[in-house]
C-alpha cells in the first residue's frame, strides 16, 4: 500500500486539461501491462485517477472470495496517515446494495462513509468495478472541495473502473475474460466517452488507435486519412512493428470498406496483414468521413455482432475527437500566422522606417504564402503607382497593378479584396494580356491601401494559377493592407516631424531659457515657503543662479549690516565642491559699503562688471580677487532689488577663460535676481516679525526660575516656526505655607488674541494662587473667571501643581492638559493622573486634587502638547519617546533635563516645530 503524492489537477475543463487527464490513464494502462501483481496494477490505476480528476483520496477494492467482503488493495492519497488507516480496510458485501454509482455520503457503506467523514470529504463518488457481469470491486473517490465530480470526471472514473476490471480478470486468470476481452461494448463505450471528453489535441490520432487497440482484441490498430485528390495515407498506428511492411493488403481492405460506406465493415483478408492478422474491421469516422479506423484481428477473433454497435459508437466519438483536433490545429496555425505577421509588421512600424516596413512585410508574406509567390507593394506618387518593394517580379507588372487598383476603387470597391484567377483570360484585363505574359503572371490578388478613405497604394499578390488562398490567408492579407497603410502614414509623418523639429529647435532654445528662469523662481519661492528662513532663501538664490545661468561657476550674496557700514556675505555657492574652500577664502569677505561701485549699485540699481579697476575702487579685502582676474576669471555684480529699494548684491564669477561672463550672462542673472528679490524681502520681513513675536511672547513668561531650599526648578521654551504669538504660558509662585505653586497652560489660537489670553491666564494665577492654594479649588475659581473673560469658542488647558519640598509631596489638578510625568530615581516614569474639563467652557466645574509622594532625587515634568505632537512625516513624538528620554536623562539637573526634552523634540522634528513647546521641571534635591 503506497501513499502517492497526488497533485491537485482538475479534469473536465479545457480540452488541454481533459487530454492531460486521459494521458494519465493511458500511462496507467501501460503500467498495468507491465505490472507483476494485481495490487501493483490497481495502485497505478488509483494514482492516475487521483491525478486525472483532482481527488484527494482514491481507494481501489476487490471482492475477497473467501468472505465476500470488499477489501482495499490500493490507496492513492497525499497523506501517509490516511493511507495507513485505509490499508486493508473492508466492508461486507451485503452493504453494496447495487451496481450503480453513488455520490452521496449517507448512502456509502459504513466503512467508506466513516473514512469520508474522517478526511472531511466535500465530494465523494463510488463506482462498481465489473469483471464480466459480476461486481468484482469498487473505486472510491474523495476530495475536500465541495464541488461535485462533473460529467467529464465521471467518464474518466468509469474508464479507470474499466481498466481495474480488466486488471482483476487478467490477474485472477479468468478464462472467460481472456477469451472475451470485454463485456460487449462496455470498454469501447468508456473509451469513446473519454475521447469525447477531450483528448490531447496534438496527439489525438495516436490516442484513437491506442485506445481502440487496448479496448478490443485487435492486434494492430491503424488510422487512415485521405487528403483531397490523394490516396489513403496512414497517419497513426498502434501495435504496428516498424519493420512490418505488410500494409498494401490492409490499405486495399480499407479502400473497399470506404466504398461500401458502412459504419463498420468486417471482412476476412486472404492477403498478408500486419501482425499476422486475418480479419479487418474498418470504422467509418464520421459523415462525411474524416478518416477510417482499421482494427486487425487474428483468425477466429473477429468482433461479435453485439460488439459492432459499440464499434460504430466508438467511431462516432473518435470522429468527433479528430474533427476537434483538426479544427484546433487549424485555428492554432491561423493564430500563429496572425501573431507572427502582426508582430513583424508592428516591429517594422515602430522603427518608423518606410523602406524597412515594406521589405519586412514582403518577406513575411512570401514566407507565409510560399516562396514561389510573387508580390509587390505599390505606392502612389503624382497619381501614378510605383513599386516600393517586391519579390520575384519583372517586366511591366506596374501597369497591371494600376488596372487592379482601378478595379478595386471602382465596381469592386465594396469587396475590399479583388481576386483575378486568370490575368490573361479575364475580360477586364484583356488589353494587358501581353503585359501579363511578359511579366510571367498567371493570377492576381489585390488589396487597396487606404488612409482616411484616400487610396495611397496597393498590395498585389501574384500566386501560381493552381494556388488558392484560404479564408484565413485572405483575412491576413486584408489585415496586412490595413497595417501597411498605417505604416506609410506614420513614416511620412515621422519625416515631416523631423523637418519641423529642426525648424523649431531655435524657438525651443529660447523657451528652455524662459523655463529655467521660471524653475529658478519656483526653487527660490519653495525654499522660503518650506523653511520661512532668510538664510535658507539666500542659499537657494545663490545655488539656483549657479545651476541655471550659463557660464556662472560661483555666486555670492551680500547684504548691508545694521549700521550700513559693511556689505556682509550671507550666502555662497560653488559649482565644483572641491573648490569651495579656496573660493570662500578669497570671496567670502565683507566689502566697505561706502565704496563708490557699491554705493552706485545700491543707489541706481545698475550692474557692473568686475574689472581690475572696479575691484581696486571697492578696496580691500576684495583686492584678493585681482590675481585671479588677471588669470582669466571674469565676473559681474548685479543688484537684488524690489521697486522700492536694493536689498542685496549678487556677485557672479566664471573660472573658465573660454566661457566668460558676457552681457547675456549678466542679463540672465539680473532677471533671476529681480524675481528673487520678492522672496528675499518677504524672508527679511518675516524674520523681523518673528523676532518681534518671540520677544512679545517671552515677555509673558517668567524671567527666572524661583530658588527654594529643597526644590530645583528648570524651564525651556521655543516658539514654533510661525510668526504669530503662540499660546503657551507658565509661571511659578511660592505660597504662604512654603509650597511652590507651578502653573502651565496652553491657550487656543495664535496672534494678539492668544497673547491677551496668555496675559489673562498669568494674571489669574498671580491673583488667585494664594487665595486658593488647593489645586482643585484653584482651577474651579480660575474656570469661573476665564468663562467670563475668554471669547466664545476659545478655551485654556491648564495643569496646576503645589509641591511641598520638605514633606516630599506633589498635589495637582488638571483641566484638559497632558498629564505631568513623575520621574523616579530608578528611571521609572509614571503619570500624575490629573483630569478635568478645559477652562472657559462652562462655569461651576469641579476638579479633583491628586496627591503623589515625591522622593529625594525624583522630578516632576510639565509640558505643553507641542512636545508630544511634534511630527516627522506624519509620525508623532509621543509619550513613549518622552518617557524613554526622561528615564535615560533622569540624573540631569532640572534645567538641563528641561533643555534635553526640548532638544530631543526639536531634533525629532528636524527643527521644524509646528507648535510652541514649553517644558517645566521641578526636582526635589533633599
Amino acid at each position: 500500500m503506497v501513499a502517492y503524492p497526488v497533485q491537485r489537477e482538475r479534469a473536465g475543463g479545457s480540452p488541454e486539461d481533459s487530454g492531460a487527464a486521459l494521458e494519465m490513464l493511458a500511462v496507467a494502462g501501460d503500467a498495468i501491462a507491465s505490472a507483476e501483481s494485481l495490487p501493483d496494477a490497481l495502485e497505478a490505476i488509483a494514482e492516475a485517477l487521483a491525478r486525472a480528476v483532482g481527488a484527494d483520496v482514491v481507494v481501489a477494492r476487490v471482492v475477497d472470495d473467501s468472505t465476500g467482503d470488499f477489501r482495499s488493495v490500493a490507496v492513492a492519497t497525499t497523506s501517509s496517515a490516511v493511507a495507513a488507516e485505509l490499508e486493508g480496510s473492508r466492508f461486507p458485501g451485503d452493504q453494496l446494495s447495487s451496481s450503480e454509482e453513488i455520490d452521496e455520503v449517507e448512502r456509502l457503506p459504513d466503512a467508506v462513509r466513516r473514512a469520508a467523514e474522517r478526511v472531511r470529504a466535500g465530494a465523494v463518488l463510488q463506482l462498481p468495478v465489473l469483471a464480466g457481469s459480476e461486481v468484482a470491486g469498487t473505486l472510491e473517490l474523495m476530495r475536500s472541495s465541495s464541488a461535485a465530480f462533473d460529467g467529464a470526471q465521471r467518464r474518466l472514473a468509469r474508464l479507470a473502473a474499466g481498466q481495474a476490471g480488466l486488471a482483476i480478470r487478467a490477474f485472477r486468470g479468468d478464462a472467460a475474460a481472456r477469451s472475451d476481452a470485454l463485456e460487449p461494448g462496455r470498454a469501447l463505450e468508456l473509451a469513446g466517452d473519454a475521447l469525447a471528453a477531450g483528448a490531447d489535441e496534438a496527439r489525438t490520432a495516436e490516442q484513437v488507435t491506442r485506445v481502440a487497440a487496448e479496448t478490443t482484441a485487435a492486434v494492430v490498430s491503424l488510422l487512415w486519412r485521405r487528403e483531397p485528390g490523394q490516396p489513403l495515407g496512414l497517419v497513426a498506428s498502434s501495435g504496428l512493428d516498424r519493420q512490418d511492411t505488410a500494409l498494401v493488403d490492409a490499405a486495399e481492405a480499407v479502400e473497399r470498406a470506404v466504398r461500401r460506406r458502412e459504419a463498420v465493415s468486417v471482412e476476412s483478408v486472404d492477403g498478408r496483414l500486419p501482425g499476422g492478422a486475418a480479419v479487418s474491421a474498418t470504422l467509418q469516422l464520421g459523415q462525411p468521413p474524416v478518416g477510417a479506423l482499421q482494427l486487425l484481428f487474428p483468425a477466429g477473433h473477429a468482433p461479435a455482432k453485439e460488439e459492432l454497435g459499440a464499434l460504430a459508437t466508438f467511431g462516432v466519438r473518435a470522429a468527433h475527437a479528430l474533427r476537434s483536433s483538426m479544427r484546433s490545429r487549424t485555428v492554432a496555425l491561423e493564430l500563429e500566422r496572425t501573431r507572427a505577421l502582426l508582430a513583424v509588421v508592428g516591429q517594422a512600424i515602430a522603427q518608423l522606417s518606410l523602406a524597412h516596413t515594406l521589405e519586412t512585410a514582403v518577406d513575411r508574406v512570401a514566407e507565409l504564402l510560399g516562396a514561389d509567390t510573387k508580390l509587390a507593394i505599390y505606392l502612389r506618387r503624382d497619381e501614378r503607382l510605383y513599386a516600393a518593394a517586391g519579390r520575384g517580379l519583372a517586366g511591366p507588372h506596374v501597369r497591371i497593378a494600376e488596372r487592379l487598383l482601378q478595379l478595386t476603387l471602382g465596381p469592386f470597391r465594396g469587396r475590399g479584396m479583388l481576386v483575378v484567377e486568370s490575368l490573361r483570360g479575364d475580360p477586364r484585363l484583356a488589353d494587358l494580356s501581353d503585359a501579363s505574359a511578359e511579366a510571367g503572371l498567371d493570377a492576381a490578388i489585390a488589396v487597396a491601401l487606404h488612409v482616411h478613405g484616400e487610396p495611397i497604394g496597393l498590395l498585389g499578390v501574384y500566386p501560381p494559377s493552381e494556388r488558392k488562398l484560404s479564408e484565413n490567408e485572405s483575412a491576413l492579407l486584408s489585415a496586412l493592407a490595413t497595417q501597411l497603410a498605417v505604416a506609410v502614414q506614420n513614416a511620412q509623418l515621422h519625416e515631416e516631424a523631423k523637418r519641423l523639429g529642426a525648424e523649431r529647435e531655435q524657438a525651443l532654445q529660447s523657451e528652455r531659457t524662459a523655463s529655467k528662469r521660471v524653475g529658478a523662481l519656483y526653487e527660490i519661492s519653495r525654499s522660503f515657503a518650506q523653511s520661512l528662513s532668510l538664510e535658507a532663501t539666500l542659499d537657494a538664490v545663490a545655488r539656483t543662479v549657479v545651476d541655471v545661468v550659463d557660464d556662472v561657476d560661483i555666486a555670492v550674496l551680500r547684504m548691508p549690516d545694521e549700521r550700513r557700514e559693511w556689505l556682509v556675505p550671507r550666502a555662497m555657492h560653488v559649482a565644483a565642491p572641491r573648490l569651495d574652500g579656496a573660493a570662500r577664502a578669497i570671496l567670502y569677505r565683507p566689502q566697505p559699503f561706502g565704496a563708490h561701485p557699491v554705493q552706485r549699485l545700491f543707489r541706481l540699481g545698475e550692474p557692473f562688471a568686475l574689472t581690475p579697476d572696479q575691484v581696486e575702487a571697492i578696496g580691500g579685502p576684495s583686492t584678493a580677487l585681482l590675481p585671479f582676474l588677471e588669470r582669466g576669471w571674469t565676473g559681474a555684480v548685479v543688484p537684488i532689488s524690489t521697486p522700492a529699494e536694493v536689498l542685496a548684491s549678487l556677485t557672479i564669477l566664471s573660472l573658465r577663460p573660454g566661457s566668460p561672463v558676457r552681457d547675456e550672462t549678466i542679463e540672465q542673472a539680473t532677471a533671476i535676481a529681480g524675481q528673487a528679490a520678492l522672496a528675499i524681502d518677504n524672508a527679511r520681513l518675516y524674520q523681523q516679525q518673528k523676532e518681534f513675536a518671540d520677544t512679545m511672547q517671552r515677555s509673558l513668561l517668567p524671567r527666572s526660575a524661583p530658588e527654594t531650599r529643597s526644590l530645583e526648578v528648570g524651564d525651556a521654551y521655543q516658539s514654533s516656526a510661525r510668526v504669530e504669538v503662540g499660546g503657551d504660558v507658565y509661571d511659578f509662585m511660592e505660597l504662604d505655607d512654603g509650597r511652590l505653586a507651578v502653573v502651565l497652560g496652553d491657550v487656543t489660537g495664535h496672534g494678539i488674541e492668544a497673547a491677551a489670553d496668555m496675559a489673562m491666564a498669568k494674571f489669574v494665577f498671580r491673583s488667585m494662587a494664594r487665595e486658593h492654594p488647593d489645586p482643585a479649588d484653584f482651577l474651579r475659581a480660575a474656570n469661573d473667571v476665564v468663562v467670563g473673560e475668554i471669547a466664545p469658542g476659545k478655551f485654556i488647558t491648564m495643569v496646576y501643581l503645589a509641591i511641598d519640598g520638605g514633606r516630599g509631596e506633589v498635589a495637582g489638578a488638571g483641566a484638559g492638559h497632558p498629564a505631568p510625568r513623575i520621574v523616579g530615581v530608578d528611571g521609572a516614569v509614571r503619570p500624575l493622573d490629573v483630569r478635568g474639563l478645559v477652562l472657559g467652557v462652562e462655569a461651576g466645574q469641579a476638579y479633583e486634587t491628586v496627591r503623589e509622594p515625591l522622593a529625594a532625587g525624583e522630578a516632576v515634568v510639565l509640558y505643553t502638547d507641542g512636545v508630544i505632537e511634534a511630527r516627522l512625516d506624519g509620525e508623532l513624538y509621543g509619550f513613549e519617546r518622552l518617557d524613554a528620554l526622561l528615564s535615560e536623562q533622569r540624573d540631569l539637573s532640572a534645567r538641563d533635563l528641561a533643555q534635553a526634552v526640548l532638544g530631543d523634540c526639536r531634533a525629532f522634528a528636524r527643527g521644524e516645530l509646528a507648535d510652541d513647546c514649553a517644558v517645566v521641571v521641578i526636582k526635589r534635591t533633599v
Side-chain angles (χ1 to χ4, degrees):
M1 191 74 60
V2 178
Y4 287 97
V6 177
Q7 299 176 355
R8 306 296 177 85
E9 299 180 6
R10 293 288 184 256
S14 67
E16 291 81 358
D17 293 337
S18 300
L22 187 57
E23 179 66 20
M24 293 176 190
L25 293 180
V27 172
D30 294 339
I32 294 171
S34 60
E36 297 182 355
S37 66
L38 179 59
D40 290 342
L42 294 181
E43 283 172 355
I45 293 171
E47 178 192 9
L49 180 58
R51 292 175 181 270
V53 303
D56 297 306
V57 180
V58 173
V59 182
R61 300 179 188 270
V62 297
V63 174
D64 189 331
D65 293 335
S66 62
T67 64
D69 294 345
F70 285 81
R71 178 175 56 85
S72 68
V73 175
V75 179
T77 177
T78 57
S79 170
S80 58
V82 172
E85 183 176 354
L86 292 175
E87 179 180 1
S89 64
R90 61 179 63 212
F91 63 83
D94 58 5
Q95 291 189 7
L96 190 66
S97 58
S98 67
S99 60
E100 64 179 357
E101 298 174 5
I102 300 174
D103 57 7
E104 299 175 3
V105 176
E106 296 78 8
R107 297 179 56 200
L108 294 172
D110 294 342
V112 181
R113 176 176 48 78
R114 288 194 297 270
E117 291 172 349
R118 280 196 296 274
V119 300
R120 298 181 180 178
V124 297
L125 180 63
Q126 184 182 53
L127 301 94
V129 174
L130 301 178
S133 60
E134 300 295 329
V135 178
T138 61
L139 283 181
E140 297 153 8
L141 292 72
M142 307 175 192
R143 68 180 176 207
S144 57
S145 170
S146 59
F149 294 98
D150 60 26
Q153 293 167 347
R154 285 174 179 262
R155 287 193 291 272
L156 290 169
R158 293 172 195 146
L159 180 57
Q163 289 181 321
L166 289 173
I168 292 173
R169 295 174 69 182
F171 283 101
R172 286 192 168 182
D174 189 335
R178 287 195 298 273
S179 63
D180 185 8
L182 294 173
E183 174 189 354
R186 178 61 174 168
L188 282 172
E189 178 186 352
L190 294 175
D193 286 344
L195 287 172
D200 181 356
E201 293 171 353
R203 300 171 55 197
T204 302
E206 289 82 354
Q207 290 179 347
V208 168
T209 57
R210 185 181 63 204
V211 170
E214 290 177 352
T215 53
T216 66
V219 293
V220 176
S221 175
L222 306 173
L223 182 64
W224 303 85
R225 186 177 299 164
R226 188 196 309 276
E227 298 294 338
Q230 300 294 326
L232 279 174
L234 183 65
V235 296
S237 65
S238 178
L240 180 65
D241 189 344
R242 294 184 180 180
Q243 305 288 327
D244 196 339
T245 58
L247 289 173
V248 175
D249 291 340
E252 292 177 353
V254 171
E255 289 281 9
R256 290 192 296 271
V258 169
R259 287 194 295 270
R260 284 194 290 269
R261 298 186 179 182
E262 297 175 354
V264 182
S265 178
V266 181
E267 67 172 302
S268 297
V269 179
D270 295 333
R272 183 166 170 263
L273 295 177
V279 178
S280 171
T282 302
L283 285 66
Q284 298 269 7
L285 300 182
Q287 286 297 331
V290 296
L293 177 62
Q294 185 180 32
L295 303 176
L296 304 179
F297 299 89
H301 289 77
K305 289 183 178 180
E306 56 268 22
E307 290 184 272
L308 295 182
L311 284 171
T313 302
F314 179 81
V316 172
R317 302 297 177 86
H320 174 73
L322 287 171
R323 282 199 177 94
S324 297
S325 173
M326 293 167 62
R327 285 196 297 269
S328 298
R329 196 173 297 115
T330 300
V331 171
L333 179 60
E334 292 173 353
L335 289 176
E336 181 59 30
R337 286 183 174 182
T338 302
R339 281 194 295 266
L341 181 58
L342 294 182
V344 171
V345 175
Q347 180 182 8
I349 292 173
Q351 295 184 11
L352 294 176
S353 168
L354 180 59
H356 181 75
T357 300
L358 298 178
E359 291 295 339
T360 303
V362 166
D363 292 343
R364 192 57 178 156
V365 172
E367 180 183 341
L368 293 173
L369 300 184
D372 57 345
T373 301
K374 302 175 182 180
L375 70 148
I377 299 172
Y378 307 91
L379 297 180
R380 274 183 122 181
R381 180 192 297 156
D382 300 329
E383 301 301 321
R384 303 284 294 181
L385 285 182
Y386 70 95
R391 174 184 288 259
L393 291 171
H397 61 91
V398 176
R399 290 173 52 198
I400 301 172
E402 288 179 336
R403 177 63 58 83
L404 294 174
L405 181 60
Q406 292 174 5
L407 293 174
T408 60
L409 299 179
F412 299 94
R413 185 182 186 91
R415 298 186 182 179
M417 176 181 293
L418 174 66
V419 178
V420 180
E421 296 183 355
S422 175
L423 288 173
R424 300 171 206 176
D426 194 304
R428 297 169 297 182
L429 291 92
D431 58 331
L432 295 175
S433 58
D434 293 343
S436 300
E438 184 180 349
L441 304 179
D442 299 327
I445 300 167
V447 186
L449 306 180
H450 291 275
V451 174
H452 301 307
E454 292 296 324
I456 64 168
L458 180 80
L459 169 61
V461 178
Y462 306 98
S465 56
E466 69 277 3
R467 176 71 159 89
K468 307 299 182 184
L469 296 188
S470 68
E471 182 179 348
N472 175 61
E473 290 170 333
S474 299
L476 285 176
L477 288 180
S478 297
L480 175 62
T482 302
Q483 293 294 334
L484 285 176
V486 174
V488 172
Q489 183 185 38
N490 286 346
Q492 292 172 343
L493 291 176
H494 178 64
E495 295 297 328
E496 180 69 10
K498 288 176 63 177
R499 183 184 63 81
L500 294 175
E503 295 176 356
R504 294 173 182 171
E505 184 60 32
Q506 186 175 0
L508 289 176
Q509 185 60 40
S510 61
E511 291 181 7
R512 291 190 193 101
T513 302
S515 177
K516 282 185 177 181
R517 293 181 181 178
V518 173
L521 178 60
Y522 169 77
E523 179 64 24
I524 295 167
S525 301
R526 185 180 64 85
S527 177
F528 168 67
Q530 288 184 348
S531 66
L532 300 175
S533 165
L534 176 60
E535 298 303 324
T537 304
L538 295 174
D539 286 339
V541 173
R543 182 177 62 255
T544 303
V545 168
V546 173
D547 292 344
V548 172
V549 181
D550 297 334
D551 305 324
V552 173
D553 298 316
I554 299 175
V556 184
L557 273 80
R558 293 181 174 89
M559 296 184 72
D561 62 4
E562 293 181 358
R563 302 182 64 178
R564 301 182 77 82
E565 293 180 351
W566 292 93
L567 200 58
V568 181
R570 301 289 297 273
M572 178 176 174
H573 186 72
V574 181
R578 61 187 177 82
L579 300 178
D580 186 79
R584 286 184 181 274
I586 301 168
L587 300 171
Y588 207 73
R589 297 182 177 188
Q591 296 175 348
F593 190 72
H596 177 70
V598 174
Q599 284 292 304
R600 184 177 178 82
L601 177 77
F602 275 81
R603 285 199 310 270
L604 303 178
E606 297 177 354
F608 61 87
L610 269 178
T611 64
D613 291 342
Q614 292 284 25
V615 173
E616 289 283 2
I618 294 174
S622 295
T623 52
L625 183 60
L626 287 173
F628 300 95
L629 293 177
E630 294 173 356
R631 296 176 185 175
W633 287 19
T634 55
V637 181
V638 301
I640 298 178
S641 59
T642 66
E645 62 175 324
V646 177
L647 303 176
S649 69
L650 170 63
T651 301
I652 56 175
L653 289 165
S654 172
L655 311 185
R656 296 162 289 167
S659 301
V661 172
R662 297 181 290 256
D663 291 342
E664 295 84 355
T665 310
I666 297 174
E667 289 177 5
Q668 292 183 44
T670 302
I672 293 177
Q675 294 168 340
L678 179 61
I680 293 175
D681 193 33
N682 287 339
R684 184 187 62 166
L685 294 175
Y686 176 85
Q687 181 172 296
Q688 293 173 354
Q689 295 173 15
K690 188 71 170 63
E691 291 174 355
F692 172 77
D694 289 346
T695 301
M696 180 178 180
Q697 186 158 5
R698 288 186 180 278
S699 67
L700 297 175
L701 299 177
R703 297 183 180 274
S704 61
E707 296 182 1
T708 62
R709 184 176 62 83
S710 56
L711 297 175
E712 181 183 20
V713 181
D715 64 312
Y717 171 81
Q718 180 169 332
S719 62
S720 70
R722 287 189 291 264
V723 172
E724 298 88 0
V725 178
D728 289 2
V729 60
Y730 60 90
D731 205 352
F732 315 98
M733 178 183 294
E734 187 172 355
L735 300 177
D736 295 339
D737 57 6
R739 292 184 298 170
L740 177 66
V742 182
V743 67
L744 186 144
D746 188 358
V747 178
T748 57
H750 295 84
I752 300 301
E753 291 186 2
D757 291 338
M758 286 174 62
M760 176 188 65
K762 183 171 183 176
F763 171 77
V764 168
F765 172 70
R766 286 283 174 178
S767 62
M768 301 180 65
R770 288 190 174 87
E771 295 181 11
H772 304 277
D774 178 71
D777 187 41
F778 170 81
L779 288 183
R780 179 193 57 76
N783 179 62
D784 291 342
V785 173
V786 173
V787 167
E789 297 295 332
I790 202 167
K794 296 292 189 71
F795 57 85
I796 301 174
T797 69
M798 184 174 288
V799 62
Y800 177 93
L801 301 182
I803 304 172
D804 190 332
R807 294 176 54 197
E809 181 186 71
V810 55
H817 199 84
R821 325 302 279 181
I822 299 178
V823 185
V825 294
D826 59 353
V829 179
R830 63 186 188 276
L832 183 64
D833 193 13
V834 291
R835 302 180 184 181
L837 185 67
V838 296
L839 306 182
V841 175
E842 185 177 354
Q845 291 297 311
Y847 298 87
E848 179 184 359
T849 297
V850 177
R851 303 180 186 276
E852 287 283 342
L854 189 66
E858 292 189 329
V860 183
V861 181
L862 299 85
Y863 51 92
T864 56
D865 57 6
V867 174
I868 57 175
E869 293 179 1
R871 293 178 179 269
L872 176 62
D873 298 331
E875 183 180 0
L876 296 177
Y877 182 74
F879 291 107
E880 186 175 346
R881 285 188 178 85
L882 175 61
D883 290 348
L885 176 76
L886 294 175
S887 178
E888 182 181 350
Q889 304 293 338
R890 63 185 180 275
D891 295 330
L892 295 178
S893 64
R895 180 178 180 279
D896 290 343
L897 185 57
Q899 292 292 339
V901 172
L902 182 59
D904 192 60
C905 169
R906 182 172 53 238
F908 173 78
R910 296 179 181 173
E912 298 295 329
L913 295 175
D915 200 357
D916 299 347
C917 294
V919 183
V920 176
V921 178
I922 300 95
K923 190 169 189 177
R924 186 184 178 197
T925 56
V926 295

